[in-house]
Each structure stands twice: as C-alpha cells, then as structure tokens.
C-alpha cells in the first residue's frame, strides 16, 4: 500500500494539546523513570485487523502516541493478528490510512504479531519445560464447564466456587512437549487439543484458571497462509509481543484490567522484557456504538452503506461526514484520560467540530428545497455581479463574485402564503433582504390550481438597497439566502441524524437487539438542491458552510445528470448543523 500522505491535513503536526500533558499515566511513567524501572519510554498501538478504526481508537492512538512524544520515546504500530478467521489485509490497509489521516506517524515501526509465531512457539515450549503449561484433551466447551461460572458484580469477582482440574493437568513435561510438537505438525483435528497455562483453578479471577495458550484451527491466515494450524491466544500473545518490541508501557482500555495478572504471569514465566500494562477508560459516546463487533454487524447486514458510511463512528465515516483530524484530536484532548469509564455526550463532539469548521469553512449559498422567486421589475436576460464575503471568521479568505438575475431559487420555507405569528420572511406585502443583494417586496405568488402547490413567488426589488445599503425606510427583519436559477448547479444533499434513536443503544431491553435501537430517520436524501456554481467544481472532502443551513462536505459519490456540465451531479453531506446544543447542555448542567 502506498503510505505517502496525500491528504494535506495529515501533514499537520500532531498537536495533542496540553490537556494530554498531565494525567495518571504520566505520573506512572514519571515514577517508572525515576525509580529506574525503565530508562526510556516505548509504547504501541495494537489494533486487531478485523474491522476499521472508530473514534474510540482515536483516543487510544492519542494516548499511545502522546505519551511516547512527551517522554521523547517511540510508538509502534502493531497488528495483533493472531485470529485467522476474522482478519484481513483490507483492514490493515484501512487502519494505516486512518492512523495517518488522524496525524499519527509510526515512522516505519510497523509490526505484526503474526511475525512472532516462531518466537511465541519457543516461549510456549519454555513454559512447558518449566512445568507451567500442559496439553489438554478436553474440548473447548468442557474447559469452560470445568472452569466454572463467575459470580460477579461489575468490578469485583466474588464468591466464585473453585473450578475443577482437567484430568490431563498433570501430564509429564516430556509428554506435553511431544504432544505440543504434534499439535503444530497437524496430527490432531481442530479443537482436538489445546495448550493451557497451569496457574490456579481456584482463582477468583476466572482468567487465571488455566487459560488456553494455543488452539488448533485450520484456517488460512491472511499473512502466514497455511504455515500454522495452531494459533496463540490473545492473553498469551499480547504481553510477549510487547516484550519482544521492548515496549515499556502497554497502554490499553479498562476491560483489560482483569487480564493484567495474566499479562504479568506470562512475562514472568517466559522470562522476557518486563513490559507494564496500564489501563485507561474507554471512550463511550452517546447515540452510537463503539465496538468493532457491532459495527461489523451493521456493515455485513447492510444497515449502513459500508464502514465509511457517514453515519458510522468510524474514522473513515467521520472523515466522509466532514470531520477534520484537528476536531477529533481536540475532542479527545478536551475529554482527557481518566481511569473510570464514562459516557461522553455526542453534542460535545459536535461542539468541537463546529469550533474548527467555523474557522476554516468558506461560506456559500445553497437552497435545499427550492421555490422560484421571480423579480418582476428586473428585465429578463439582465445579470449583475455582487460581492460576497468568503469567511467572516477569516479575513484572508477574501471575497467572491456571485451572479444575480431575474429568477432565483429560495427555500420553500422562506415563503408563507399566510404567515404564522412572528414570521418575518416572505409573504405577500412583506419585504426581506436577499443576502448580499437587494431588498425585495413580495407582490404575489403562483399556485397550481390542481394541487394547490405554490409554484413561484413574485416580488419587486429596490435598486437603492444594493449590497449592504438599506435606507431607513426599508428596514427589514430578515435576510434569506438564494441562488440564481440560470447559474446554480444541481446537487444531491444528504442530511444525517444520529444512527441510533436512543442515548445508550447497548443497553437494550431483554429480548431486544441493539439493531432495534437504530434510528429509522438517520438519513434524509434531498435529490434536487441547488448551489452556487463553485460547488460544481468541489473535490471530495472540500468543506463549506452553506449559509443558514450548516456545514457540508463534498462526498466521494457523484451522480449522473445530463442537464449539468460534464453530465455530473455532485453529492454533499451535511457534517453538522449550525445550531449548537452543547452550550445549552453546559448551561443546564453547569459543566
Ligand atoms: P472492539 O471492542 O471495538 O473490537 P478492541 O479493543 O477489540 O475494540 P482493538 O483493535 O483490539 O479493538 O483495539 C486496539 C486498541 O484500541 C486497544 O489498545 C484498545 O484498548 C483500544 N480501544 C478500543 N476501543 C476503545 C475505546 N472505545 N476507547 C479507547 N480505547 C479503545
Ligand atoms: Mg481487541
């Protein structure tokens, strides 16, 4: 895969912000350097290539890379690829692309746990020789039955009755070595035998009840092919892969906390470099799910158009939706790193996004639900150029010329035949300003006698009000946006709502699935919108603010349209609306 960074945004230097500078992990690392436990800092980001990265991984990446950066250390990218059934090279490629896009660079330190199979095998042999591992003939089901069932609450495993020893637990070392070698040779069927660590069948932590180290699986691995028919389990593989790379601080999410004694056991028994595992809280976000297993189901069962569907919390989905790497990194910096799991309000993510887009997005006008406005005192064929500000937040962005003519598209909802109370936009007799152009007075409208639908609105313009000049006798209470019918380009616009209809889609009632929590209205396609001509030349990924409507990004999709230049109709995604709900939440809860 070509690893050059083609997206200019990824060239931005990783700026993890000062908020990452102090947290409990920093304190641990300082202690370790102070006590001489380590003389350097080396971290790793270890995705399993069984899905695309999501925003939770952005947090993990930021923790791994920023801790290394802060202590002038290094951070590896390691693919934890020891489960052949679910892994694929396409995932490796997608992960690398997303990591780079987010602005993180592993500087050539790209590793694969599958490259360590021989090393891991030798360490397993070493542990067998010490009498600390044995080959078991029990089936995987029998193993879990012998292990027993945990009686647990969320944090502590308590009152769990002891498990039962396997009848094969006390096999002599020689026999174990012979059987393990024959497992590798392919003498036994899939699932016929396992290699287990001999730890403690009475431990209150079930993970320590003789965990499986190797299982037999005749699956083709995307990198090692059929070279192996035994595959190492995560808990055995991960600490020893860390050790092989000289990783000092193995930073991972909180669900691995109960795995830590096992992590330490394997390091100790294999007598390898003593990497240290430190856990931090996972990122949980409202109205979405952050688990690859669940995201995979949405993709496979076609509830979304793919891993990069703009409604997905994946990095690729967020990118296609119009998120910037800066907004994502800033969001992670702001929420910080803590030890306790919590749920972050998605409105806060959107707030961070708007902060960034407001600064960088050129403003343009587009009309989503068009209604024709006819200026009766403007001669047919006459055109004028008006000046519009590109970005009031950025004086360097300059101005542009926009075309004005007799027939314009305005939003259908900016006209009312009978105005409701406090309606200040167009209705017969009322006047409004057309943004950057003139004040117009509504003189009437056309109605289809059959359907009752308004087909056009009529008005007259006031020449002396050109641009910003509104004399006192023309005070208007509202300004509406428009595009010139003769010049506008047709667009398809896609509006999005949250993918799930409930805040916590994982907490479903008994008998229901998280699928039942999907929001049926999460996608609204507007097939016939119009925008300023420059939108016809936008490249995928170009971002704009459509005045009064929100932030939009040019999608990767282009549709056929014979009426349009080049026969193409661009698609735009709404990234986020203009209205900020976060400040309201902040006020309410005094955050
Ligand atoms: P999933 O449960 O979504 O499959 P995972 O943890 O199995 O996620 P990995 O590819 O194994 O996915 O994760 C790579 C790294 O990212 C791990 O160190 C993991 O702890 C971290 N990580 C995964 N999800 C989150 C999250 N929501 N918040 C923070 N870190 C996460
Ligand atoms: Mg995992």
């Amino acid at each position: 895969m070509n690893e050059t960074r083609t997206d200019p945004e990824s060239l931005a230097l990783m700026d993890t912000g000062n908020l990452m500078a102090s947290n409990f992990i920093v304190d641990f690392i300082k202690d370790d350097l102070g006590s001489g436990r380590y003389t350097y800092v080396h971290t790793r980001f270890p995705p399993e290539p069984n899905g695309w990265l999501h925003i939770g991984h952005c947090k993990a990446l930021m923790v791994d890379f920023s801790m290394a950066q802060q202590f002038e250390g290094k951070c590896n990218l390691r693919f934890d690829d020891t489960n052949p059934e679910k892994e694929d090279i396409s995932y490796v490629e997608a992960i690398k692309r997303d990591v780079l896009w987010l602005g993180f660079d592993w500087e050539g330190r790209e590793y694969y746990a599958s490259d360590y199979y021989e090393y891991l095998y030798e360490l397993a042999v070493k542990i067998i020789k010490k009498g600390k591992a044995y080959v078991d003939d029990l089936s995987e089901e029998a193993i879990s039955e012998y292990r027993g069932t945990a009686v647990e609450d969320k944090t502590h495993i308590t009152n769990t009755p002891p498990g039962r020893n396997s009848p094969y637990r006390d096999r002599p070392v020689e026999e174990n070595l012979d059987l393990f070698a024959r497992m590798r040779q392919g003498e036994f069927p899939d699932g016929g035998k396992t290699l287990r660590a001999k730890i403690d069948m009475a431990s209150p932590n079930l993970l320590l009840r003789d965990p499986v180290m190797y299982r037999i699986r005749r699956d083709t691995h995307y990198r090692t092919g059929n070279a192996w028919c035994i595959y190492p389990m995560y808990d055995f593989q991960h600490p020893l892969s860390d050790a092989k790379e000289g990783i000092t601080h193995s930073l991972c999410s909180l669900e691995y906390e109960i795995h830590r004694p096992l992590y330490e056991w394997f390091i100790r028994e294999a007598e390898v470099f003593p990497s240290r595992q430190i856990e931090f809280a996972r990122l949980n976000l409202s109205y979405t799910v952050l688990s690859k297993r669940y995201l995979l189901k949405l993709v496979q069962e076609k509830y979304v158009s793919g891993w990069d569907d703009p409604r997905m919390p994946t990095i690729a989905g967020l990118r296609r939706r119009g998120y910037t790497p800066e907004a994502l990194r800033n969001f992670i910096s702001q929420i910080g790193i803590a030890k306790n799991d919590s749920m972050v309000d998605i409105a806060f993510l959107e707030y961070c996004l708007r902060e960034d887009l407001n600064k960088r997005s050129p403003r343009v006008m587009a009309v989503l639900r068009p209604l024709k406005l006819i200026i009766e005192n403007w001669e047919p064929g006459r055109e004028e150029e008006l000046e519009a500000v590109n970005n009031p937040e950025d004086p360097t962005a300059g101005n542009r010329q926009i075309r004005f003519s007799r027939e314009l598209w305005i939003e259908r909802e900016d006209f009312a035949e009978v105005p409701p109370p406090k309606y200040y936009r167009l209705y017969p007799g009322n006047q409004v300003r057309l943004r950057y152009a003139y004040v117009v007075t509504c003189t009437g409208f056309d109605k289809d006698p059959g359907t009752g639908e308004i087909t056009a609105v009529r008005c007259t313009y006031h020449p002396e009000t050109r641009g910003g000049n509104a004399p006192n006798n023309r005070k208007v209470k509202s300004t509406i946006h428009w595009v010139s019918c003769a010049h506008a380009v047709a667009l398809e616009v896609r509006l999005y709502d949250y993918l799930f209809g409930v805040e916590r889609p994982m907490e479903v009632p008994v008998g229901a699935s998280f699928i039942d929590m999907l929001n049926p209205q999460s996608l609204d396609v507007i097939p016939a919108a119009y925008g300023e001509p420059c939108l016809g030349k936008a490249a995928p990924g170009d971002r704009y603010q459509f005045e009064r409507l929100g932030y939009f990004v040019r999608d990767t999709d282009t549709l056929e349209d014979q009426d349009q230049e080049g026969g193409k109709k661009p698609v735009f995604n709404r990234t986020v609306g203009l209205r900020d709900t976060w400040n309201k939440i902040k006020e309410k809860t005094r955050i």
Side-chain angles (χ1 to χ4, degrees), residues 268-289:
R268 199 165 58 243
E269 296 303 338
E271 299 166 41
V272 289
F273 180 82
S275 307
R276 174 178 190 183
Q277 176 178 307
I278 301 173
E279 310 85 18
F280 58 89
R282 277 178 90 83
L283 171 65
N284 298 305
L285 200 56
S286 60
Y287 293 99
T288 194
V289 294

Side-chain angles (χ1 to χ4, degrees), residues 93-106:
E93 285 163 2
I95 289 169
K96 284 163 59 174
R97 186 173 62 231
D98 290 347
V99 172
L100 285 176
W101 180 77
L102 283 167
F104 302 99
D105 190 348
W106 56 92

Side-chain angles (χ1 to χ4, degrees), residues 281-432:
R282 277 178 90 83
L283 171 65
N284 298 305
L285 200 56
S286 60
Y287 293 99
T288 194
V289 294
L290 294 183
S291 163
K292 280 188 286 185
R293 196 155 52 95
Y294 289 90
L295 297 175
L296 178 67
K297 190 174 164 78
L298 296 176
V299 174
Q300 280 180 336
E301 297 179 13
K302 301 203 179 345
Y303 292 103
V304 292
S305 65
W307 285 100
D308 68 345
D309 186 301
R311 292 167 293 178
M312 290 280 270
T314 51
I315 302 304
L318 294 166
R319 173 169 62 231
R320 197 169 159 193
R321 178 75 172 262
Y323 274 77
T324 61
E326 290 81 359
L328 292 171
R329 294 200 306 255
N330 187 37
F331 165 71
I332 302 289
S333 282
Q334 301 270 346
I335 57 173
I337 313 171
K339 185 81 189 172
N340 300 322
D341 273 332
S342 65
M343 166 79 78
V344 178
D345 196 315
I346 199 164
F348 182 61
L349 173 63
E350 295 177 339
Y351 164 79
C352 294
L353 176 63
R354 280 190 198 93
E355 292 276 286
D356 187 48
L357 292 178
N358 183 38
K359 283 179 270 163
R360 66 165 79 223
S361 310
R363 275 59 169 167
V364 293
M365 293 195 284
V367 172
L368 300 192
R369 294 176 179 87
L371 173 62
K372 191 168 276 186
L373 179 72
I374 301 169
I375 306 171
E376 294 187 301
N377 58 342
W378 189 283
E379 309 85 84
R382 179 180 156 210
E383 278 180 20
E384 212 170 71
E385 288 215 320
L386 298 161
E387 188 147 283
V389 180
N390 284 334
N391 186 352
E393 299 289 321
D394 176 7
T396 65
N399 292 347
R400 71 185 182 287
Q401 302 296 316
I402 48 175
R403 296 292 183 96
F404 190 83
S405 60
R406 179 181 159 90
E407 296 194 349
L408 310 176
W409 295 118
I410 61 167
E411 294 291 345
R412 199 158 269 281
E413 64 173 38
D414 284 338
F415 172 76
E417 184 179 350
V418 180
K422 296 200 175 160
Y423 187 89
Y424 301 118
R425 291 169 275 167
L426 278 177
Y427 54 88
N430 195 34
Q431 55 188 19
V432 297

Side-chain angles (χ1 to χ4, degrees), residues 504-556:
R504 296 167 186 263
M506 303 303 291
E507 294 172 16
V508 295
V510 184
S513 145
F514 81 108
I515 294 291
D516 303 325
M517 304 294 132
L518 281 166
N519 172 9
Q521 262 101 42
S522 59
L523 171 63
D524 183 7
V525 176
I526 300 194
Y530 289 103
E532 284 186 38
C534 63
L535 295 177
K537 298 190 179 69
D542 283 357
R543 302 184 182 88
Y544 299 87
Q545 186 194 102
F546 290 1
E547 294 207 27
R548 296 175 68 216
L549 299 174
Y551 295 99
F552 290 75
V553 64
R554 170 74 160 90
D555 190 57
T556 41

Side-chain angles (χ1 to χ4, degrees), residues 34-59:
S35 69
R37 178 172 176 163
Y38 303 113
T39 54
Y40 63 91
V41 172
H42 201 149
T43 60
R44 87 287 170 262
F45 173 65
E48 185 182 354
N50 61 353
W52 291 34
L53 298 184
H54 54 64
I55 189 169
H57 293 114
C58 181
K59 175 172 183 180

